[in-house]
Amino acid sequence: MAPDINSLPPSPYRSQAASITRRPSEARRLAERVTSPPTNLISSTPPRSPILHSISSSQVMPREDNTGVDPGPGPLRHPRPLTAADLHMQLEKEQEAVVNRLTRELTLLRQQTASAASTASSTSAGLADAADSNAHSTLLGASHPTSSRRHRSSSNLSARSVNTAAPTATAGTGVSGSTTGGIAGSTTSGIAPPRESTVPYSYTRDPLSRQSSVASRRSEASSPSLSSSLYQGDHFPNYTHRHTSSVTQATNASVPLAPTGGSTRSSYIPSTARYDEAVHARAELEMVKQENEALKQRIRELERNIRTRRQSETGQRRRESLGMDTGAASRGRRPAHEEEDAVNVEESAASVGHGEVFLFKEFIKYCDAKKLQYAVGIMNDNLVIMESTPPWDDLDWNLGQLFMMGFDGTEVTPQIKKLIETHHLGTVLLTAKNLKSAEQTAKLVLDLQTIAHNANHPVPLAIALDQENGGVNSLFDAEYIQQFPSAMGVAATGSTDMAFEIAKATAEELDAVGINWIMGPCLDVLANIKNQSLGVRSSGDDPEEVSRYGIAAMNGYKEAGLATCGKHFPSYGNLEFLGSALDVPVITDSLEQLSANALGPFRDAIHQDIDAMMVGGCAMSSAGVEAMHACLSDRVVDGLLRKEMGFKGVVISECLEMEALSQNIGVGGGTVMAVKAGCDLLLVCRSIAGQLEAFNGLKAGLDNDLITKERVQQSLSRILHMKAKSMSWEKALAPGGVVSLSPLQPLHAELSEKAYNSSITVVRDKERLLPLSNLLDPDDELLLLTPLVKPLPASAASALHSNSSSPEPPASTWQKSVSGMSGENVFQEFGRSLARQRGGRVLHTSYTANGMRPVHENLIHRASAVIVVTADANRNLYQHGFTKHVSMSCKLSQRGEKRGKPFVVVSVSSPYDFAMESSLGTYICTFDFTETALQALVHVLYGEFIPSGSLPGSLRKNQKVHQSKQHWLVEQWDQERDAHGLDALLMNIHEENSSEQPSVLANCTYKTFHLHMIHEQHFVVRNTSTQALYGFCPTYFFESTCTGVVGPILVDPERRNLSIGQSLHKRAVKSLLQRQGIKRLQLGSRLPNVYLGVPSNNSFERKRLRQWFDNLGWADSPSRPVYSMLLPNLPSWTPSERLTTALHNAEVEFDLIQGVEHASQVHDLVRTSSRVGIMEVYGLALADHASCGIIRAKRRRDAILLGAVVLYSASSNWADTVPAIKDSTDVIGGISSPVISPSAGDYSTLLQGLILLGIKQHQKQGAAAVLLDYVDDDGNLDSLSAMGFCVLNNFDEISCDAEIFASLG
């Protein structure tokens, strides 16, 4: 059991020792809980010394006492815990009392010396001065004798933390103070050393910390043996001295402790030399500096040994945390074991005092697990209150943390090493020029952190990187680093969840290679969509949208444990560029305009606790603020960002080496101005000369009182607070590397593909050209025209380009990576992918500001379809002009006629290039031209998936208005109400036809679609106010074959792509399925004779329409070709002799019948055909005996009916349903629906005979031509062509079982 503290002999400094004694006791107990040091930490046996009366540590610091109050009789008392302010005040009062008491004693000593001046004046005077000097040196160390100022300025910091012994002047004790400056104990000073031998100095303290001096005095007054054993290695077994000589020197220079009892005689060599006060002060200052250096060296060694001892344990814990729970360090939190340690420390320190606990919490914020052990180790040496912790008392260390710098090269250079070691640089910015691969990046980052660690940096380096994705990526590695869309590309997906996942995946990859700070998200709002270099780095022009996606990205970065940085405050979204590099881009928006628009995302990010904010290097010129450089303006940084918007994080300046700033102000001057404005971190990332100038400029600002040390401390506090949330030595020295990247790649690759597939946006496709696979045959050639652009800094193209820059590259490498013109290779792989995907020929060439050249014209004429790629055409106006020129060339043939060659425009950067250019029918946006984006574009062009992206911001809102009309009101046809509107709609569609083929809608009216004798129901989409028709779709039900027919779906050309056709189709199919007995559905029919099926005159149009109907459910339906044919020049036409001879020899008789009395026999023949509408056509012909007739073919021997065909004229009742028969001023006769019995022997001869007699009949009537309105391709086309018929229109007749659509609901 420890002895009662009240049994200890009284101390001459009882109030000081008693109040301090409990602190070391609590510190030791706290250290044992956290660090678990060896049990034999403090030797209970004091070192043997002839002059030192030692007290057992168990007596001085009993473990049972943790109250922090004076000992006394009776039970322990528990008053209010002392705070840091209380301790400060108590210390200064004690110092003042000691100084006053010693001053009185020295005055008395001088009076005694003066009375003996008559006998030994010179000797007495020297003795008095020596006593005066040594007394102050002993009690106050390196401080001036009269220093008792209470404010914490740098001028008297050392006065509050000097080496102080505990002599007893009233007991007649003499104490001699030895210094390294040659004052006491130096033969050159004229004063002899003390006669008694001294022991080594007990404990070396931080000279700039008031708390250090308080705790050290407590240690010296209570346990001298503890301090002595520390240097012997008893307290820290692994502690070794790095520089033995410096420690020895500091030890020998220490002030010896006085014995507690007895008297010692101080004798000096007589001397008349007097000490000059200035010389004395300089000597004492030198002594303190040496002791300070010894303390720093000891702390460094202590840290190094602790790190070495726990290195293997740290790596193991890191691997376990990564393997067991990747979310343990999410959002910058420490792993669980570190938080547990921190909680234990805080709980243990709770009994020390509220003020001390607060300060200790602030300290552990920037200390990892190893730093906690280091901190508690210092507490074992009685350093409890950590207001100022080494090395933050060193101004050079503080200034180093205030800079972010870069360097050239992919390995550590001597320049960056010097900046870290000598100038204590705290943040390194890496760019694409530093990074080659994930593995190289991990090694480079670890090398940088190791240099900082070996240089005794108390906190890790912040390693920053721009990795915005899209075209702004600093790190590229095809194997380990996934490519994701740009900010605008992510916004095009329409999903903030996607933005979060992409940001998290990006941050996880960066964290694995050691990057701990990402320069993102970009919070700029594109107020001016033209002439903006920012482009797709912004999420768009809508502040709310930019804010949502920016915060989602920020949360994703934090989730993976990275620090974040919003940029570019106050916004780069509406800059005016004056042209010269020396001219700063200007923001002309007023503060009110900025607040209402551009500042919104920054304000929201601040509310969501973003870590840092980068202030741009732009100028501001408006009524509210005038600033030459925003990052140098206190009105912008301190006023707007800090005070008005409430940002408390780290503010980063723009690069101070930018030409517009360095040439006008200078790097050194810019450094001072940036700090004065409120910036915490100064970016200087280009040259070592500029970086050294920045350091010197900041020091000069301090020397000239332009910047205060308190201002530096403010920035340091913010930086350390940010580092504490997401950076630790444990993570910095044990990054996951490529080993941890491999498991992430399958998930990240899937996310990348999903993101790009969701971001590719088809802005327009008026001609329905997509997918190209439906338009191009294998033998067709596709032309690709691309601009010359600079390869992205981090891409495969740039890697190949850099690899091919050697003097003599291999031929294969040259062919793959470099073409005739710089920048042409960017899109070469895209062209190869197009060729591989379609298995056909792709012609690829570039275009420049020289415009259209003959080679371009020849290739356009040769190709079957053309794709033009643009990249920021609003800034590169030659691209805009070239694209419009190619568009006109594709529309016009050599004869000046319209021909509609497929033409597709692809913007691979800003979507605003042709967003509002409606004359370009097909326009696609990818938002970047990385390899991944272009590969996704290939899939879109060939229809592997349907793109779902949409334009950002205000353009998206416009699209949403259209998308809200997906479900149009479909009404039944009303002839009185809709007849006029349908005629107008038919006229608009007919005039819109751009093909060389005549429109099938020529001469169509509303009467064309009404059959009267057949069940029919028609539907319209109309404007209920103006009665204008936007769409029309007729339907028919043929009972003879139980088939429902969907007629032509007609949509106003100005309102296509608004789902009007889809709405009509859905209603038409639903209506037909309600017909009783329906078995099949069919697209097109011979009645009415307008669209016999899906038009197929133009192969491109055919494929487009087939794709549209396939998407509506007709994909698996069979089709067959059908035609309408015309025999012109009928008056001069004569049949061939071969046909006439064949018919004469055939045993077939032909006759012409009219009227319903022959209906039964004809109907028996027609029923043998399953063609839709055949029975109805013959019924119409029999009913109109005046204008219609039927030619029959009978076998001579038995009069069996073998075939029949219908003849009709333009005056017949149903001629209105055949607009082609009225498509001329000449008389045209019609032949329809030939039917041949299955029992007929020679099908071809019999068909030709029926058609021949019909032609002769129309010749007799004076017709100029004959129309064969419906012919299927069952071998009939060749025989009819031989008779002189030519194809007028061709169609694909598509049919399917009704059950298919019934199952679709």
Side-chain angles (χ1 to χ4, degrees):
M1 178 181 295
D4 184 7
I5 191 170
N6 296 314
S7 65
L8 296 177
S11 169
Y13 302 107
R14 183 176 180 280
S15 62
Q16 177 180 351
S19 63
I20 297 176
T21 299
R22 278 54 177 187
R23 299 289 179 175
S25 174
E26 176 60 17
R28 184 186 300 108
R29 185 181 67 81
L30 180 58
E32 290 173 350
R33 290 185 56 183
V34 179
T35 63
S36 299
T39 56
N40 186 22
L41 294 180
I42 305 174
S43 175
S44 60
T45 304
R48 299 183 181 273
S49 173
I51 67 170
L52 180 63
H53 178 72
S54 60
I55 303 175
S56 172
S57 61
S58 62
Q59 292 176 309
V60 178
M61 294 181 289
R63 295 180 182 273
E64 293 81 353
D65 185 8
N66 61 357
T67 62
V69 299
D70 294 344
L76 297 177
R77 299 182 298 277
H78 298 272
R80 179 181 62 83
L82 295 175
T83 65
D86 295 335
L87 291 177
H88 294 171
M89 185 68 70
Q90 179 180 342
L91 171 61
E92 293 182 351
K93 288 181 178 180
E94 292 170 356
Q95 288 178 337
E96 185 174 0
V98 172
V99 170
N100 292 337
R101 179 175 52 80
L102 291 179
T103 302
R104 293 193 299 271
E105 294 174 355
L106 290 175
T107 302
L108 180 61
L109 181 58
R110 289 191 180 96
Q111 293 173 356
Q112 294 172 353
T113 304
S115 64
S118 59
T119 56
S121 59
S122 61
T123 304
S124 300
L127 181 59
D129 289 339
D132 186 0
S133 175
N134 282 286
H136 283 275
S137 176
T138 301
L139 293 172
L140 301 178
S143 67
H144 295 292
T146 60
S147 176
S148 60
R149 299 169 63 187
R150 298 190 179 188
H151 62 83
R152 296 162 52 194
S153 64
S154 59
S155 62
N156 66 353
L157 282 175
S158 59
R160 292 190 291 270
S161 58
V162 295
N163 303 326
T164 307
T168 307
T170 57
T173 303
V175 181
S176 62
S178 61
T179 68
T180 60
I183 299 177
S186 173
T187 58
T188 60
S189 66
I191 299 180
R195 296 178 181 180
E196 295 82 359
S197 61
T198 61
V199 295
Y201 176 54
S202 60
Y203 179 63
T204 314
R205 300 173 300 278
D206 176 9
L208 297 183
S209 171
R210 175 182 302 184
Q211 289 74 18
S212 300
S213 62
V214 174
S216 300
R217 291 190 187 94
R218 296 168 180 167
S219 174
E220 293 165 356
S222 59
S223 180
S225 62
L226 169 64
S227 308
S228 178
S229 65
L230 283 174
Y231 273 102
Q232 297 170 4
D234 295 336
H235 187 65
F236 294 99
N238 293 329
Y239 178 78
T240 56
H241 295 288
R242 184 174 183 181
H243 299 295
T244 306
S245 60
S246 63
V247 176
T248 304
Q249 184 180 14
T251 303
N252 294 336
S254 303
V255 180
L257 293 177
T260 58
S263 61
T264 59
R265 181 172 55 89
S266 302
S267 62
Y268 300 90
I269 298 176
S271 173
T272 58
R274 295 181 178 273
Y275 296 101
D276 181 84
E277 184 177 356
V279 175
H280 179 67
R282 283 195 298 268
E284 290 178 331
L285 181 60
E286 183 66 19
M287 177 191 69
V288 173
K289 286 182 178 180
Q290 293 179 2
E291 291 179 351
N292 185 30
E293 290 298 324
L295 172 63
K296 289 182 179 180
Q297 187 60 41
R298 177 169 174 267
I299 292 174
R300 294 189 189 105
E301 293 293 340
L302 177 62
E303 286 185 310
R304 187 174 294 108
N305 288 328
I306 293 174
R307 292 166 186 160
T308 303
R309 185 177 62 188
R310 300 187 60 184
Q311 186 66 39
S312 59
E313 180 183 353
T314 297
Q316 180 65 24
R317 250 192 333 226
R318 170 65 172 168
R319 288 188 293 271
E320 290 177 357
S321 64
L322 286 175
M324 296 176 61
D325 185 7
T326 56
S330 65
R331 299 191 184 274
R333 295 184 57 187
R334 294 188 294 266
H337 63 275
E338 292 185 19
E339 293 202 1
E340 184 178 356
D341 289 343
V343 170
N344 290 338
V345 170
E346 293 174 9
E347 290 176 352
S348 301
S351 60
V352 176
H354 299 299
E356 292 82 356
V357 171
F358 173 76
L359 292 171
F360 191 77
K361 286 181 179 179
E362 290 299 314
F363 176 77
I364 64 175
K365 282 182 180 179
Y366 62 84
C367 293
D368 59 8
K370 292 178 289 184
K371 285 291 180 182
L372 286 174
Q373 184 171 5
Y374 151 73
V376 175
I378 299 301
M379 289 179 67
N380 278 331
D381 290 344
N382 309 319
L383 181 56
V384 179
I385 306 173
M386 302 210 177
E387 179 183 299
S388 179
T389 305
W392 305 131
D393 49 19
D394 189 327
L395 187 59
D396 287 342
W397 282 96
N398 295 354
L399 299 185
Q401 288 292 320
L402 268 58
F403 283 98
M404 173 191 288
M405 294 182 173
F407 64 99
D408 294 329
T410 56
E411 297 179 352
V412 175
T413 62
Q415 291 81 6
I416 191 65
K417 184 177 181 182
K418 179 180 179 182
L419 291 174
I420 296 173
E421 292 180 337
T422 305
H423 297 279
H424 317 300
L425 176 64
T427 303
V428 176
L429 176 65
L430 298 180
T431 59
K433 64 185 178 183
N434 303 119
L435 312 177
K436 296 189 298 185
S437 65
E439 185 174 4
Q440 174 266 336
T441 301
K443 181 181 182 302
L444 175 62
V445 172
L446 182 58
D447 290 344
L448 292 171
Q449 294 287 16
T450 302
I451 291 172
H453 187 268
N454 293 339
N456 299 306
H457 279 230
V459 290
L461 295 175
I463 306 294
L465 190 73
D466 267 321
Q467 193 83 354
E468 299 177 17
N469 288 314
V472 184
N473 272 357
S474 298
L475 175 59
F476 171 81
D477 190 313
E479 184 176 359
Y480 293 112
I481 303 297
Q482 280 297 326
Q483 177 68 54
F484 295 103
S486 62
M488 191 174 290
V490 173
T493 67
S495 171
T496 54
D497 292 338
M498 178 75 72
F500 174 85
E501 293 298 332
I502 289 174
K504 179 183 176 183
T506 300
E508 288 174 343
E509 294 175 347
L510 296 184
D511 178 69
V513 297
I515 305 299
N516 51 30
W517 194 3
I518 186 167
M519 296 290 98
C522 182
L523 300 174
D524 301 282
V525 178
L526 278 178
N528 180 8
I529 63 175
K530 293 186 177 181
N531 195 30
Q532 291 298 318
S533 58
L534 194 66
V536 296
R537 296 172 64 189
S538 168
S539 296
D541 58 359
D542 179 17
E544 294 183 0
E545 189 170 293
V546 172
S547 179
R548 289 197 306 272
Y549 285 95
I551 290 176
M554 180 191 74
N555 291 334
Y557 296 145
K558 287 187 174 184
E559 183 74 15
L562 265 60
T564 56
C565 174
K567 57 185 183 183
H568 306 81
F569 187 85
S571 180
Y572 277 1
N574 188 19
L575 299 178
E576 291 188 7
F577 294 88
L578 303 181
S580 171
L582 296 180
D583 293 327
V584 183
V586 181
I587 297 176
T588 57
D589 291 343
S590 65
L591 289 179
E592 290 76 13
Q593 291 173 320
L594 288 173
S595 180
N597 188 42
L599 296 183
F602 294 97
R603 187 180 296 109
D604 293 341
I606 291 172
H607 293 162
Q608 294 294 324
D609 195 26
I610 194 167
D611 297 306
M613 201 75 74
M614 175 175 282
V615 180
C618 55
M620 299 185 67
S621 178
S622 66
V625 60
E626 289 284 344
M628 183 171 59
H629 297 278
C631 63
L632 306 185
S633 169
D634 59 349
R635 178 67 183 88
V636 176
V637 180
D638 189 57
L640 180 60
L641 181 57
R642 290 262 188 230
K643 296 178 181 178
E644 295 184 23
M645 300 182 66
F647 181 58
K648 300 183 183 302
V650 176
V651 176
I652 310 172
S653 76
E654 181 60 275
C655 181
L656 300 180
E657 288 187 281
M658 60 183 296
E659 292 184 11
L661 194 152
S662 60
Q663 296 296 324
N664 294 329
I665 298 176
V667 176
T671 302
V672 175
M673 295 176 68
V675 175
K676 290 280 289 182
C679 294
D680 302 307
L681 202 58
L682 310 175
L683 178 57
V684 189
C685 60
R686 297 184 182 178
S687 66
I688 185 64
Q691 292 163 352
L692 295 178
E693 182 183 349
F695 274 115
N696 295 332
L698 190 55
K699 290 181 180 178
L702 285 164
D703 294 340
N704 295 326
D705 295 330
L706 295 174
I707 302 172
T708 64
K709 294 180 180 179
E710 287 76 11
R711 173 65 188 85
V712 173
Q713 288 291 334
Q714 289 176 0
S715 292
L716 176 64
S717 175
R718 297 187 187 110
I719 294 170
L720 293 179
H721 178 72
M722 180 193 71
K723 287 189 174 184
K725 293 193 294 184
S726 56
M727 306 173 197
S728 68
W729 278 121
E730 185 177 9
K731 291 176 60 177
L733 298 178
V738 294
V739 176
S740 63
L741 283 174
S742 297
L744 298 175
Q745 290 315 293
L747 294 176
H748 290 183
E750 181 180 355
L751 178 62
S752 174
E753 181 180 3
K754 180 180 178 181
Y756 273 107
N757 291 351
S758 302
S759 67
I760 303 295
T761 301
V762 177
V763 181
R764 290 184 302 275
D765 188 18
K766 289 184 176 181
E767 286 80 20
R768 302 299 180 94
L769 303 182
L770 300 178
L772 295 178
S773 55
N774 291 341
L775 305 181
L776 299 177
D777 295 326
D779 296 335
D780 292 336
E781 292 180 327
L782 175 64
L783 175 60
L784 176 63
L785 300 172
T786 59
L788 297 182
V789 296
K790 183 179 179 181
L792 298 175
S795 64
S798 64
L800 287 172
H801 184 72
S802 61
N803 292 338
S804 66
S805 60
S806 56
E808 295 181 0
S812 59
T813 305
W814 175 261
Q815 293 172 0
K816 291 181 180 179
S817 62
V818 180
S819 61
M821 293 179 287
S822 174
E824 194 173 36
N825 60 323
V826 172
F827 297 104
Q828 283 187 348
E829 183 57 32
F830 172 51
R832 295 189 187 101
S833 297
L834 284 173
R836 286 192 298 265
Q837 192 75 16
R838 68 177 298 258
R841 290 177 58 84
V842 172
L843 310 175
H844 179 201
T845 189
S846 299
Y847 65 92
T848 66
N850 294 326
M852 181 79 77
R853 312 301 295 169
V855 63
H856 298 131
E857 295 177 351
N858 294 334
L859 290 174
I860 292 172
H861 178 73
R862 172 180 170 181
S864 299
V866 181
I867 298 175
V868 172
V869 174
T870 65
D872 289 318
N874 282 331
R875 290 194 297 132
N876 303 292
L877 295 181
Y878 78 91
Q879 297 181 18
H880 192 277
F882 181 85
T883 303
K884 297 298 291 290
H885 194 163
V886 175
S887 175
M888 295 298 298
S889 298
C890 289
K891 290 180 179 179
L892 299 177
S893 67
Q894 292 180 347
R895 299 189 304 272
E897 299 175 354
K898 295 183 177 180
R899 56 171 181 149
K901 176 172 290 189
F903 176 61
V904 178
V905 180
V906 178
S907 170
V908 295
S909 186
S910 171
Y912 300 101
D913 287 356
F914 297 100
M916 309 305 293
E917 192 71 44
S918 59
S919 62
L920 301 179
T922 303
Y923 181 49
I924 307 174
C925 297
T926 67
F927 303 99
D928 65 69
F929 52 92
T930 58
E931 291 81 359
T932 313
L934 295 180
Q935 189 59 41
L937 173 62
V938 172
H939 296 324
V940 170
L941 291 173
Y942 290 127
E944 293 193 10
F945 68 88
I946 299 176
S948 58
S950 58
L951 290 177
S954 59
L955 294 176
R956 169 181 283 155
K957 291 181 179 180
N958 292 336
Q959 285 187 334
K960 287 181 179 179
V961 171
H962 299 321
Q963 292 172 359
S964 66
K965 299 179 181 179
Q966 292 289 329
H967 304 286
W968 290 81
L969 174 63
V970 180
E971 302 175 84
Q972 289 193 20
W973 162 267
D974 184 303
Q975 180 171 325
E976 182 178 356
R977 180 193 65 195
D978 300 325
H980 178 72
L982 180 56
D983 286 343
L985 176 64
L986 293 170
M987 181 62 66
N988 291 338
I989 298 174
H990 170 65
E991 293 177 351
E992 192 258 347
N993 177 52
S994 59
S995 65
E996 297 177 357
Q997 200 78 6
S999 172
V1000 295
L1001 294 179
N1003 298 314
C1004 280
T1005 66
Y1006 75 92
K1007 296 180 180 180
T1008 304
F1009 301 97
H1010 295 277
L1011 303 179
H1012 303 295
M1013 293 180 62
I1014 301 173
H1015 297 291
E1016 55 187 344
Q1017 190 173 19
H1018 311 321
F1019 303 96
V1020 297
V1021 171
R1022 65 189 183 91
N1023 187 318
T1024 57
S1025 299
T1026 64
Q1027 306 302 321
L1029 258 61
Y1030 293 161
F1032 171 77
C1033 178
T1035 64
Y1036 309 94
F1037 180 65
F1038 296 92
E1039 289 183 333
S1040 59
T1041 55
C1042 298
T1043 302
V1045 172
V1046 178
I1049 299 177
L1050 308 176
V1051 178
D1052 187 345
E1054 295 183 357
R1055 289 171 175 80
R1056 289 174 182 169
N1057 301 323
L1058 301 180
S1059 300
I1060 294 177
Q1062 296 178 10
S1063 299
L1064 288 168
H1065 176 272
K1066 182 178 180 180
R1067 179 66 184 277
V1069 171
K1070 181 179 179 180
S1071 174
L1072 289 172
L1073 290 176
Q1074 295 174 352
R1075 294 284 182 179
Q1076 185 175 2
I1078 188 169
K1079 296 180 180 179
R1080 297 188 64 79
L1081 292 175
Q1082 180 173 300
L1083 292 177
S1085 71
R1086 66 188 68 217
L1087 284 178
N1089 199 264
V1090 182
Y1091 286 97
L1092 308 184
V1094 177
S1096 58
N1097 290 336
N1098 185 297
S1099 60
F1100 300 123
E1101 181 71 7
R1102 171 183 176 272
K1103 292 178 180 178
R1104 182 186 69 80
L1105 290 173
R1106 285 301 305 267
Q1107 180 69 32
W1108 190 83
F1109 280 108
D1110 288 349
N1111 293 334
L1112 294 178
W1114 297 86
D1116 298 326
S1117 303
S1119 65
R1120 64 190 183 99
V1122 293
Y1123 309 91
S1124 61
M1125 306 185 76
L1126 184 70
L1127 178 64
N1129 303 318
L1130 184 59
S1132 61
W1133 178 85
T1134 57
S1136 66
E1137 294 182 1
R1138 184 188 63 80
L1139 177 59
T1140 304
T1141 303
L1143 291 177
H1144 180 74
N1145 295 331
E1147 295 185 0
V1148 178
E1149 294 179 349
F1150 299 91
D1151 63 358
L1152 175 64
I1153 61 173
Q1154 294 174 302
V1156 295
E1157 61 270 16
H1158 305 285
S1160 59
Q1161 188 178 14
V1162 172
H1163 286 167
D1164 291 340
L1165 173 66
V1166 173
R1167 288 190 183 97
T1168 63
S1169 174
S1170 61
R1171 303 302 189 202
V1172 177
I1174 289 286
M1175 183 67 73
E1176 287 75 10
V1177 168
Y1178 277 87
L1180 289 172
L1182 292 172
D1184 186 6
H1185 62 86
S1187 302
C1188 298
I1190 298 175
I1191 297 178
R1192 298 185 302 176
K1194 298 181 182 179
R1195 196 160 46 206
R1196 288 176 180 170
R1197 65 175 181 267
D1198 52 17
I1200 292 179
L1201 194 61
L1202 298 179
V1205 69
V1206 174
L1207 305 181
Y1208 61 94
S1209 66
S1211 61
S1212 64
N1213 294 335
W1214 58 296
D1216 286 337
T1217 66
V1218 187
I1221 206 172
K1222 297 183 177 182
D1223 193 24
S1224 174
T1225 57
D1226 297 327
V1227 177
I1228 298 178
I1231 301 178
S1232 178
S1233 306
V1235 178
I1236 307 298
S1237 173
S1239 61
D1242 191 348
Y1243 179 90
S1244 177
T1245 301
L1246 187 58
L1247 174 64
Q1248 287 179 318
L1250 290 170
I1251 300 299
L1252 174 61
L1253 293 180
I1255 294 173
K1256 288 185 175 182
Q1257 187 67 25
H1258 282 301
Q1259 275 183 323
K1260 293 179 183 179
Q1261 300 295 329
V1266 171
L1267 172 69
L1268 186 55
D1269 61 17
Y1270 184 98
V1271 178
D1272 57 35
D1273 192 18
D1274 291 341
N1276 303 328
L1277 192 62
D1278 293 337
S1279 59
L1280 294 175
S1281 298
M1283 296 179 65
F1285 281 93
C1286 60
V1287 175
L1288 183 61
N1289 291 297
N1290 48 2
F1291 305 88
D1292 285 339
E1293 187 182 80
I1294 304 174
S1295 62
C1296 68
D1297 291 336
E1299 295 180 355
I1300 294 178
F1301 278 93
S1303 63
L1304 296 177

